[in-house]
PDB file of all heavy atoms in Angstrom:
ATOM      1  N   ARG A  84      -9.906   3.202  -1.545  1.00 96.00           N
ATOM      2  CA  ARG A  84      -8.760   3.913  -2.119  1.00 96.00           C
ATOM      3  C   ARG A  84      -8.587   5.284  -1.483  1.00 96.00           C
ATOM      4  O   ARG A  84      -7.465   5.699  -1.157  1.00 96.00           O
ATOM      5  CB  ARG A  84      -8.904   4.028  -3.630  1.00 96.00           C
ATOM      6  CG  ARG A  84      -7.627   4.540  -4.279  1.00 96.00           C
ATOM      7  CD  ARG A  84      -7.609   4.364  -5.778  1.00 96.00           C
ATOM      8  NE  ARG A  84      -6.243   4.598  -6.250  1.00 96.00           N
ATOM      9  CZ  ARG A  84      -5.441   3.682  -6.725  1.00 96.00           C
ATOM     10  NH1 ARG A  84      -5.838   2.435  -6.788  1.00 96.00           N
ATOM     11  NH2 ARG A  84      -4.224   3.982  -7.124  1.00 96.00           N
ATOM     12  N   VAL A  85      -9.683   6.005  -1.294  1.00 97.00           N
ATOM     13  CA  VAL A  85      -9.603   7.340  -0.681  1.00 97.00           C
ATOM     14  C   VAL A  85      -9.152   7.237   0.778  1.00 97.00           C
ATOM     15  O   VAL A  85      -8.279   7.985   1.227  1.00 97.00           O
ATOM     16  CB  VAL A  85     -10.966   8.055  -0.786  1.00 97.00           C
ATOM     17  CG1 VAL A  85     -10.976   9.308   0.088  1.00 97.00           C
ATOM     18  CG2 VAL A  85     -11.259   8.438  -2.241  1.00 97.00           C
ATOM     19  N   LEU A  86      -9.732   6.289   1.512  1.00 97.00           N
ATOM     20  CA  LEU A  86      -9.426   6.196   2.939  1.00 97.00           C
ATOM     21  C   LEU A  86      -8.012   5.688   3.204  1.00 97.00           C
ATOM     22  O   LEU A  86      -7.468   5.929   4.283  1.00 97.00           O
ATOM     23  CB  LEU A  86     -10.447   5.298   3.633  1.00 97.00           C
ATOM     24  CG  LEU A  86     -11.857   5.897   3.758  1.00 97.00           C
ATOM     25  CD1 LEU A  86     -12.806   4.888   4.386  1.00 97.00           C
ATOM     26  CD2 LEU A  86     -11.839   7.185   4.564  1.00 97.00           C
ATOM     27  N   LEU A  87      -7.401   5.019   2.251  1.00 95.00           N
ATOM     28  CA  LEU A  87      -6.015   4.599   2.430  1.00 95.00           C
ATOM     29  C   LEU A  87      -5.067   5.792   2.590  1.00 95.00           C
ATOM     30  O   LEU A  87      -3.963   5.644   3.108  1.00 95.00           O
ATOM     31  CB  LEU A  87      -5.559   3.735   1.250  1.00 95.00           C
ATOM     32  CG  LEU A  87      -6.043   2.284   1.266  1.00 95.00           C
ATOM     33  CD1 LEU A  87      -5.795   1.611  -0.084  1.00 95.00           C
ATOM     34  CD2 LEU A  87      -5.366   1.487   2.382  1.00 95.00           C
ATOM     35  N   SER A  88      -5.513   6.977   2.151  1.00 94.00           N
ATOM     36  CA  SER A  88      -4.698   8.185   2.286  1.00 94.00           C
ATOM     37  C   SER A  88      -5.298   9.190   3.258  1.00 94.00           C
ATOM     38  O   SER A  88      -4.799  10.315   3.362  1.00 94.00           O
ATOM     39  CB  SER A  88      -4.529   8.850   0.908  1.00 94.00           C
ATOM     40  OG  SER A  88      -3.885   7.999  -0.003  1.00 94.00           O
ATOM     41  N   ASP A  89      -6.350   8.818   3.970  1.00 95.00           N
ATOM     42  CA  ASP A  89      -7.053   9.748   4.866  1.00 95.00           C
ATOM     43  C   ASP A  89      -6.354   9.796   6.228  1.00 95.00           C
ATOM     44  O   ASP A  89      -6.285   8.788   6.937  1.00 95.00           O
ATOM     45  CB  ASP A  89      -8.502   9.297   5.035  1.00 95.00           C
ATOM     46  CG  ASP A  89      -9.392  10.379   5.630  1.00 95.00           C
ATOM     47  OD1 ASP A  89      -8.921  11.091   6.556  1.00 95.00           O
ATOM     48  OD2 ASP A  89     -10.545  10.513   5.195  1.00 95.00           O
ATOM     49  N   GLU A  90      -5.847  10.967   6.598  1.00 92.00           N
ATOM     50  CA  GLU A  90      -5.103  11.094   7.854  1.00 92.00           C
ATOM     51  C   GLU A  90      -5.998  11.038   9.088  1.00 92.00           C
ATOM     52  O   GLU A  90      -5.495  10.996  10.213  1.00 92.00           O
ATOM     53  CB  GLU A  90      -4.285  12.387   7.846  1.00 92.00           C
ATOM     54  CG  GLU A  90      -3.165  12.370   6.825  1.00 92.00           C
ATOM     55  CD  GLU A  90      -2.265  13.587   6.920  1.00 92.00           C
ATOM     56  OE1 GLU A  90      -2.443  14.394   7.863  1.00 92.00           O
ATOM     57  OE2 GLU A  90      -1.385  13.736   6.047  1.00 92.00           O
ATOM     58  N   ARG A  91      -7.311  11.021   8.896  1.00 95.00           N
ATOM     59  CA  ARG A  91      -8.211  10.835  10.042  1.00 95.00           C
ATOM     60  C   ARG A  91      -8.195   9.383  10.527  1.00 95.00           C
ATOM     61  O   ARG A  91      -8.664   9.095  11.632  1.00 95.00           O
ATOM     62  CB  ARG A  91      -9.634  11.245   9.665  1.00 95.00           C
ATOM     63  CG  ARG A  91      -9.799  12.729   9.387  1.00 95.00           C
ATOM     64  CD  ARG A  91     -11.206  13.035   8.911  1.00 95.00           C
ATOM     65  NE  ARG A  91     -11.488  12.355   7.643  1.00 95.00           N
ATOM     66  CZ  ARG A  91     -12.702  12.350   7.057  1.00 95.00           C
ATOM     67  NH1 ARG A  91     -13.728  12.963   7.655  1.00 95.00           N
ATOM     68  NH2 ARG A  91     -12.877  11.730   5.913  1.00 95.00           N
ATOM     69  N   LEU A  92      -7.668   8.495   9.706  1.00 94.00           N
ATOM     70  CA  LEU A  92      -7.510   7.097  10.100  1.00 94.00           C
ATOM     71  C   LEU A  92      -6.064   6.869  10.487  1.00 94.00           C
ATOM     72  O   LEU A  92      -5.157   7.057   9.679  1.00 94.00           O
ATOM     73  CB  LEU A  92      -7.908   6.163   8.957  1.00 94.00           C
ATOM     74  CG  LEU A  92      -9.395   6.093   8.622  1.00 94.00           C
ATOM     75  CD1 LEU A  92      -9.621   5.159   7.441  1.00 94.00           C
ATOM     76  CD2 LEU A  92     -10.208   5.613   9.818  1.00 94.00           C
ATOM     77  N   SER A  93      -5.838   6.466  11.706  1.00 90.00           N
ATOM     78  CA  SER A  93      -4.484   6.304  12.232  1.00 90.00           C
ATOM     79  C   SER A  93      -4.044   4.854  12.160  1.00 90.00           C
ATOM     80  O   SER A  93      -4.819   3.934  12.433  1.00 90.00           O
ATOM     81  CB  SER A  93      -4.429   6.784  13.680  1.00 90.00           C
ATOM     82  OG  SER A  93      -3.172   6.502  14.253  1.00 90.00           O
ATOM     83  N   ARG A  94      -2.764   4.660  11.794  1.00 85.00           N
ATOM     84  CA  ARG A  94      -2.163   3.334  11.881  1.00 85.00           C
ATOM     85  C   ARG A  94      -1.712   3.031  13.303  1.00 85.00           C
ATOM     86  O   ARG A  94      -1.438   1.880  13.642  1.00 85.00           O
ATOM     87  CB  ARG A  94      -0.953   3.235  10.938  1.00 85.00           C
ATOM     88  CG  ARG A  94      -1.281   3.086   9.469  1.00 85.00           C
ATOM     89  CD  ARG A  94      -1.896   1.743   9.125  1.00 85.00           C
ATOM     90  NE  ARG A  94      -1.047   0.616   9.482  1.00 85.00           N
ATOM     91  CZ  ARG A  94      -0.130   0.086   8.675  1.00 85.00           C
ATOM     92  NH1 ARG A  94       0.048   0.564   7.463  1.00 85.00           N
ATOM     93  NH2 ARG A  94       0.592  -0.935   9.064  1.00 85.00           N
ATOM     94  N   ASN A  95      -1.582   4.044  14.138  1.00 81.00           N
ATOM     95  CA  ASN A  95      -1.146   3.848  15.523  1.00 81.00           C
ATOM     96  C   ASN A  95      -2.341   3.430  16.371  1.00 81.00           C
ATOM     97  O   ASN A  95      -3.314   4.172  16.500  1.00 81.00           O
ATOM     98  CB  ASN A  95      -0.535   5.137  16.086  1.00 81.00           C
ATOM     99  CG  ASN A  95       0.682   5.581  15.305  1.00 81.00           C
ATOM    100  OD1 ASN A  95       1.440   4.753  14.819  1.00 81.00           O
ATOM    101  ND2 ASN A  95       0.862   6.882  15.166  1.00 81.00           N
ATOM    102  N   ARG A  96      -2.254   2.240  16.956  1.00 65.00           N
ATOM    103  CA  ARG A  96      -3.383   1.730  17.719  1.00 65.00           C
ATOM    104  C   ARG A  96      -2.975   1.499  19.173  1.00 65.00           C
ATOM    105  O   ARG A  96      -3.316   0.488  19.773  1.00 65.00           O
ATOM    106  CB  ARG A  96      -3.885   0.430  17.094  1.00 65.00           C
ATOM    107  CG  ARG A  96      -4.292   0.584  15.633  1.00 65.00           C
ATOM    108  CD  ARG A  96      -5.030  -0.626  15.106  1.00 65.00           C
ATOM    109  NE  ARG A  96      -4.308  -1.868  15.308  1.00 65.00           N
ATOM    110  CZ  ARG A  96      -3.383  -2.347  14.487  1.00 65.00           C
ATOM    111  NH1 ARG A  96      -3.060  -1.667  13.401  1.00 65.00           N
ATOM    112  NH2 ARG A  96      -2.767  -3.490  14.736  1.00 65.00           N
ATOM    113  N   ASP A  97      -2.254   2.489  19.736  1.00 66.00           N
ATOM    114  CA  ASP A  97      -1.799   2.327  21.112  1.00 66.00           C
ATOM    115  C   ASP A  97      -2.731   2.998  22.114  1.00 66.00           C
ATOM    116  O   ASP A  97      -2.425   3.083  23.299  1.00 66.00           O
ATOM    117  CB  ASP A  97      -0.371   2.865  21.273  1.00 66.00           C
ATOM    118  CG  ASP A  97      -0.216   4.278  20.728  1.00 66.00           C
ATOM    119  OD1 ASP A  97      -1.223   4.842  20.250  1.00 66.00           O
ATOM    120  OD2 ASP A  97       0.904   4.803  20.772  1.00 66.00           O
ATOM    121  N   GLN A  98      -3.903   3.483  21.642  1.00 68.00           N
ATOM    122  CA  GLN A  98      -4.885   4.029  22.559  1.00 68.00           C
ATOM    123  C   GLN A  98      -5.524   2.891  23.358  1.00 68.00           C
ATOM    124  O   GLN A  98      -5.642   1.761  22.865  1.00 68.00           O
ATOM    125  CB  GLN A  98      -5.978   4.793  21.785  1.00 68.00           C
ATOM    126  CG  GLN A  98      -5.464   6.001  21.008  1.00 68.00           C
ATOM    127  CD  GLN A  98      -4.945   5.638  19.631  1.00 68.00           C
ATOM    128  OE1 GLN A  98      -4.788   4.461  19.305  1.00 68.00           O
ATOM    129  NE2 GLN A  98      -4.661   6.637  18.824  1.00 68.00           N
ATOM    130  N   PRO A  99      -5.951   3.165  24.587  1.00 67.00           N
ATOM    131  CA  PRO A  99      -6.507   2.097  25.430  1.00 67.00           C
ATOM    132  C   PRO A  99      -7.701   1.380  24.802  1.00 67.00           C
ATOM    133  O   PRO A  99      -7.895   0.180  25.026  1.00 67.00           O
ATOM    134  CB  PRO A  99      -6.928   2.842  26.702  1.00 67.00           C
ATOM    135  CG  PRO A  99      -6.062   4.058  26.730  1.00 67.00           C
ATOM    136  CD  PRO A  99      -5.863   4.452  25.300  1.00 67.00           C
ATOM    137  N   ASP A 100      -8.513   2.102  24.012  1.00 71.00           N
ATOM    138  CA  ASP A 100      -9.713   1.490  23.440  1.00 71.00           C
ATOM    139  C   ASP A 100      -9.518   1.046  21.990  1.00 71.00           C
ATOM    140  O   ASP A 100     -10.475   0.691  21.310  1.00 71.00           O
ATOM    141  CB  ASP A 100     -10.894   2.459  23.520  1.00 71.00           C
ATOM    142  CG  ASP A 100     -10.632   3.764  22.759  1.00 71.00           C
ATOM    143  OD1 ASP A 100      -9.456   4.071  22.508  1.00 71.00           O
ATOM    144  OD2 ASP A 100     -11.604   4.462  22.427  1.00 71.00           O
ATOM    145  N   ALA A 101      -8.282   1.069  21.498  1.00 78.00           N
ATOM    146  CA  ALA A 101      -8.038   0.708  20.104  1.00 78.00           C
ATOM    147  C   ALA A 101      -8.209  -0.800  19.914  1.00 78.00           C
ATOM    148  O   ALA A 101      -7.846  -1.591  20.786  1.00 78.00           O
ATOM    149  CB  ALA A 101      -6.640   1.134  19.676  1.00 78.00           C
ATOM    150  N   PRO A 102      -8.754  -1.218  18.764  1.00 84.00           N
ATOM    151  CA  PRO A 102      -8.950  -2.643  18.513  1.00 84.00           C
ATOM    152  C   PRO A 102      -7.641  -3.337  18.186  1.00 84.00           C
ATOM    153  O   PRO A 102      -6.659  -2.716  17.782  1.00 84.00           O
ATOM    154  CB  PRO A 102      -9.881  -2.649  17.292  1.00 84.00           C
ATOM    155  CG  PRO A 102      -9.506  -1.390  16.568  1.00 84.00           C
ATOM    156  CD  PRO A 102      -9.182  -0.379  17.635  1.00 84.00           C
ATOM    157  N   ARG A 103      -7.634  -4.643  18.344  1.00 82.00           N
ATOM    158  CA  ARG A 103      -6.473  -5.457  17.998  1.00 82.00           C
ATOM    159  C   ARG A 103      -6.897  -6.547  17.052  1.00 82.00           C
ATOM    160  O   ARG A 103      -8.043  -7.005  17.066  1.00 82.00           O
ATOM    161  CB  ARG A 103      -5.849  -6.072  19.251  1.00 82.00           C
ATOM    162  CG  ARG A 103      -5.313  -5.055  20.238  1.00 82.00           C
ATOM    163  CD  ARG A 103      -4.574  -5.728  21.370  1.00 82.00           C
ATOM    164  NE  ARG A 103      -3.375  -6.420  20.902  1.00 82.00           N
ATOM    165  CZ  ARG A 103      -2.531  -7.073  21.689  1.00 82.00           C
ATOM    166  NH1 ARG A 103      -2.764  -7.140  22.981  1.00 82.00           N
ATOM    167  NH2 ARG A 103      -1.463  -7.671  21.193  1.00 82.00           N
ATOM    168  N   ILE A 104      -5.973  -7.009  16.214  1.00 78.00           N
ATOM    169  CA  ILE A 104      -6.266  -8.093  15.286  1.00 78.00           C
ATOM    170  C   ILE A 104      -6.508  -9.380  16.067  1.00 78.00           C
ATOM    171  O   ILE A 104      -7.493 -10.087  15.857  1.00 78.00           O
ATOM    172  CB  ILE A 104      -5.110  -8.269  14.288  1.00 78.00           C
ATOM    173  CG1 ILE A 104      -4.962  -7.011  13.418  1.00 78.00           C
ATOM    174  CG2 ILE A 104      -5.345  -9.505  13.402  1.00 78.00           C
ATOM    175  CD1 ILE A 104      -3.735  -7.026  12.524  1.00 78.00           C
ATOM    176  N   THR A 105      -5.581  -9.700  16.952  1.00 75.00           N
ATOM    177  CA  THR A 105      -5.731 -10.857  17.831  1.00 75.00           C
ATOM    178  C   THR A 105      -5.354 -10.432  19.242  1.00 75.00           C
ATOM    179  O   THR A 105      -4.744  -9.385  19.458  1.00 75.00           O
ATOM    180  CB  THR A 105      -4.824 -12.036  17.414  1.00 75.00           C
ATOM    181  OG1 THR A 105      -3.481 -11.748  17.793  1.00 75.00           O
ATOM    182  CG2 THR A 105      -4.884 -12.282  15.908  1.00 75.00           C
ATOM    183  N   LYS A 106      -5.689 -11.240  20.195  1.00 70.00           N
ATOM    184  CA  LYS A 106      -5.333 -10.943  21.580  1.00 70.00           C
ATOM    185  C   LYS A 106      -3.867 -11.252  21.865  1.00 70.00           C
ATOM    186  O   LYS A 106      -3.288 -10.719  22.808  1.00 70.00           O
ATOM    187  CB  LYS A 106      -6.221 -11.756  22.530  1.00 70.00           C
ATOM    188  CG  LYS A 106      -7.689 -11.349  22.520  1.00 70.00           C
ATOM    189  CD  LYS A 106      -8.504 -12.193  23.487  1.00 70.00           C
ATOM    190  CE  LYS A 106      -9.961 -11.770  23.488  1.00 70.00           C
ATOM    191  NZ  LYS A 106     -10.786 -12.603  24.407  1.00 70.00           N
ATOM    192  N   ASP A 107      -3.279 -12.117  21.047  1.00 60.00           N
ATOM    193  CA  ASP A 107      -1.963 -12.662  21.372  1.00 60.00           C
ATOM    194  C   ASP A 107      -0.822 -12.166  20.498  1.00 60.00           C
ATOM    195  O   ASP A 107       0.320 -12.496  20.744  1.00 60.00           O
ATOM    196  CB  ASP A 107      -2.009 -14.197  21.278  1.00 60.00           C
ATOM    197  CG  ASP A 107      -3.086 -14.795  22.154  1.00 60.00           C
ATOM    198  OD1 ASP A 107      -3.296 -14.260  23.258  1.00 60.00           O
ATOM    199  OD2 ASP A 107      -3.719 -15.774  21.727  1.00 60.00           O
ATOM    200  N   ASN A 108      -1.122 -11.381  19.456  1.00 51.00           N
ATOM    201  CA  ASN A 108      -0.081 -10.993  18.518  1.00 51.00           C
ATOM    202  C   ASN A 108      -0.282  -9.535  18.122  1.00 51.00           C
ATOM    203  O   ASN A 108      -1.299  -9.176  17.540  1.00 51.00           O
ATOM    204  CB  ASN A 108      -0.128 -11.885  17.271  1.00 51.00           C
ATOM    205  CG  ASN A 108       1.105 -11.716  16.395  1.00 51.00           C
ATOM    206  OD1 ASN A 108       1.845 -10.756  16.535  1.00 51.00           O
ATOM    207  ND2 ASN A 108       1.315 -12.652  15.491  1.00 51.00           N
ATOM    208  N   SER A 109       0.686  -8.694  18.429  1.00 56.00           N
ATOM    209  CA  SER A 109       0.610  -7.270  18.102  1.00 56.00           C
ATOM    210  C   SER A 109       1.309  -6.989  16.771  1.00 56.00           C
ATOM    211  O   SER A 109       2.058  -6.031  16.643  1.00 56.00           O
ATOM    212  CB  SER A 109       1.244  -6.430  19.216  1.00 56.00           C
ATOM    213  OG  SER A 109       2.587  -6.829  19.437  1.00 56.00           O
ATOM    214  N   MET A 110       1.091  -7.867  15.789  1.00 53.00           N
ATOM    215  CA  MET A 110       1.741  -7.742  14.486  1.00 53.00           C
ATOM    216  C   MET A 110       1.499  -6.353  13.897  1.00 53.00           C
ATOM    217  O   MET A 110       0.426  -5.769  14.026  1.00 53.00           O
ATOM    218  CB  MET A 110       1.228  -8.817  13.531  1.00 53.00           C
ATOM    219  CG  MET A 110      -0.263  -8.740  13.251  1.00 53.00           C
ATOM    220  SD  MET A 110      -0.845 -10.047  12.156  1.00 53.00           S
ATOM    221  CE  MET A 110      -1.044 -11.404  13.283  1.00 53.00           C
ATOM    222  N   PHE A 111       2.514  -5.824  13.232  1.00 55.00           N
ATOM    223  CA  PHE A 111       2.455  -4.536  12.549  1.00 55.00           C
ATOM    224  C   PHE A 111       2.108  -3.387  13.496  1.00 55.00           C
ATOM    225  O   PHE A 111       1.588  -2.373  13.088  1.00 55.00           O
ATOM    226  CB  PHE A 111       1.444  -4.574  11.395  1.00 55.00           C
ATOM    227  CG  PHE A 111       1.701  -5.677  10.421  1.00 55.00           C
ATOM    228  CD1 PHE A 111       0.863  -6.782  10.360  1.00 55.00           C
ATOM    229  CD2 PHE A 111       2.796  -5.632   9.579  1.00 55.00           C
ATOM    230  CE1 PHE A 111       1.105  -7.810   9.476  1.00 55.00           C
ATOM    231  CE2 PHE A 111       3.045  -6.662   8.683  1.00 55.00           C
ATOM    232  CZ  PHE A 111       2.199  -7.750   8.634  1.00 55.00           C
ATOM    233  N   GLN A 112       2.405  -3.556  14.763  1.00 59.00           N
ATOM    234  CA  GLN A 112       2.118  -2.497  15.724  1.00 59.00           C
ATOM    235  C   GLN A 112       3.241  -2.431  16.742  1.00 59.00           C
ATOM    236  O   GLN A 112       3.585  -3.427  17.364  1.00 59.00           O
ATOM    237  CB  GLN A 112       0.784  -2.773  16.437  1.00 59.00           C
ATOM    238  CG  GLN A 112       0.272  -1.608  17.259  1.00 59.00           C
ATOM    239  CD  GLN A 112      -0.054  -0.404  16.396  1.00 59.00           C
ATOM    240  OE1 GLN A 112      -0.482  -0.550  15.275  1.00 59.00           O
ATOM    241  NE2 GLN A 112       0.163   0.785  16.915  1.00 59.00           N
ATOM    242  N   ASP A 113       3.829  -1.254  16.874  1.00 69.00           N
ATOM    243  CA  ASP A 113       4.904  -1.051  17.831  1.00 69.00           C
ATOM    244  C   ASP A 113       4.735   0.346  18.416  1.00 69.00           C
ATOM    245  O   ASP A 113       4.814   1.339  17.686  1.00 69.00           O
ATOM    246  CB  ASP A 113       6.267  -1.177  17.137  1.00 69.00           C
ATOM    247  CG  ASP A 113       7.431  -1.195  18.112  1.00 69.00           C
ATOM    248  OD1 ASP A 113       7.357  -0.480  19.132  1.00 69.00           O
ATOM    249  OD2 ASP A 113       8.414  -1.910  17.855  1.00 69.00           O
ATOM    250  N   PRO A 114       4.463   0.461  19.703  1.00 66.00           N
ATOM    251  CA  PRO A 114       4.233   1.782  20.296  1.00 66.00           C
ATOM    252  C   PRO A 114       5.444   2.704  20.210  1.00 66.00           C
ATOM    253  O   PRO A 114       5.316   3.921  20.411  1.00 66.00           O
ATOM    254  CB  PRO A 114       3.882   1.454  21.755  1.00 66.00           C
ATOM    255  CG  PRO A 114       4.457   0.092  21.999  1.00 66.00           C
ATOM    256  CD  PRO A 114       4.360  -0.625  20.691  1.00 66.00           C
ATOM    257  N   ASN A 115       6.607   2.159  19.907  1.00 69.00           N
ATOM    258  CA  ASN A 115       7.816   2.977  19.812  1.00 69.00           C
ATOM    259  C   ASN A 115       8.027   3.589  18.429  1.00 69.00           C
ATOM    260  O   ASN A 115       8.967   4.363  18.234  1.00 69.00           O
ATOM    261  CB  ASN A 115       9.045   2.140  20.173  1.00 69.00           C
ATOM    262  CG  ASN A 115       8.981   1.600  21.577  1.00 69.00           C
ATOM    263  OD1 ASN A 115       8.833   2.353  22.531  1.00 69.00           O
ATOM    264  ND2 ASN A 115       9.073   0.281  21.713  1.00 69.00           N
ATOM    265  N   VAL A 116       7.175   3.224  17.464  1.00 72.00           N
ATOM    266  CA  VAL A 116       7.311   3.734  16.099  1.00 72.00           C
ATOM    267  C   VAL A 116       5.963   4.273  15.636  1.00 72.00           C
ATOM    268  O   VAL A 116       4.966   3.546  15.664  1.00 72.00           O
ATOM    269  CB  VAL A 116       7.782   2.627  15.127  1.00 72.00           C
ATOM    270  CG1 VAL A 116       7.836   3.156  13.693  1.00 72.00           C
ATOM    271  CG2 VAL A 116       9.146   2.106  15.547  1.00 72.00           C
ATOM    272  N   SER A 117       5.933   5.531  15.224  1.00 67.00           N
ATOM    273  CA  SER A 117       4.700   6.131  14.715  1.00 67.00           C
ATOM    274  C   SER A 117       4.557   5.836  13.237  1.00 67.00           C
ATOM    275  O   SER A 117       5.484   6.035  12.447  1.00 67.00           O
ATOM    276  CB  SER A 117       4.700   7.647  14.928  1.00 67.00           C
ATOM    277  OG  SER A 117       3.560   8.221  14.303  1.00 67.00           O
ATOM    278  N   LEU A 118       3.365   5.376  12.847  1.00 74.00           N
ATOM    279  CA  LEU A 118       3.082   5.095  11.456  1.00 74.00           C
ATOM    280  C   LEU A 118       2.174   6.149  10.836  1.00 74.00           C
ATOM    281  O   LEU A 118       1.563   5.929   9.785  1.00 74.00           O
ATOM    282  CB  LEU A 118       2.437   3.702  11.333  1.00 74.00           C
ATOM    283  CG  LEU A 118       3.330   2.542  11.780  1.00 74.00           C
ATOM    284  CD1 LEU A 118       2.574   1.228  11.701  1.00 74.00           C
ATOM    285  CD2 LEU A 118       4.591   2.475  10.926  1.00 74.00           C
ATOM    286  N   ASP A 119       2.088   7.299  11.478  1.00 75.00           N
ATOM    287  CA  ASP A 119       1.298   8.430  10.991  1.00 75.00           C
ATOM    288  C   ASP A 119       2.218   9.606  10.687  1.00 75.00           C
ATOM    289  O   ASP A 119       3.380   9.630  11.136  1.00 75.00           O
ATOM    290  CB  ASP A 119       0.275   8.866  12.052  1.00 75.00           C
ATOM    291  CG  ASP A 119      -0.855   7.859  12.235  1.00 75.00           C
ATOM    292  OD1 ASP A 119      -1.056   7.014  11.332  1.00 75.00           O
ATOM    293  OD2 ASP A 119      -1.535   7.919  13.275  1.00 75.00           O
ATOM    294  N   PRO A 120       1.728  10.607   9.925  1.00 77.00           N
ATOM    295  CA  PRO A 120       2.511  11.832   9.735  1.00 77.00           C
ATOM    296  C   PRO A 120       2.747  12.514  11.082  1.00 77.00           C
ATOM    297  O   PRO A 120       1.908  12.420  11.976  1.00 77.00           O
ATOM    298  CB  PRO A 120       1.610  12.682   8.833  1.00 77.00           C
ATOM    299  CG  PRO A 120       0.701  11.687   8.152  1.00 77.00           C
ATOM    300  CD  PRO A 120       0.475  10.613   9.175  1.00 77.00           C
ATOM    301  N   PRO A 121       3.876  13.233  11.222  1.00 73.00           N
ATOM    302  CA  PRO A 121       4.915  13.465  10.218  1.00 73.00           C
ATOM    303  C   PRO A 121       6.004  12.378  10.197  1.00 73.00           C
ATOM    304  O   PRO A 121       6.850  12.386   9.317  1.00 73.00           O
ATOM    305  CB  PRO A 121       5.524  14.789  10.664  1.00 73.00           C
ATOM    306  CG  PRO A 121       5.414  14.734  12.161  1.00 73.00           C
ATOM    307  CD  PRO A 121       4.100  14.035  12.455  1.00 73.00           C
TER     308      PRO A 121
END
Side-chain angles (χ1 to χ4, degrees):
R84 190 166 193 110
V85 168
L86 289 177
L87 282 168
S88 299
D89 195 320
E90 293 186 6
R91 293 175 297 174
L92 289 178
S93 174
R94 284 291 302 271
N95 299 326
R96 303 191 306 275
D97 51 1
Q98 298 86 350
D100 60 340
R103 297 186 65 179
I104 296 173
T105 75
K106 292 180 179 179
D107 304 323
N108 192 344
S109 57
M110 61 182 82
F111 305 108
Q112 191 64 33
D113 189 324
N115 299 304
V116 177
S117 174
L118 297 176
D119 289 342

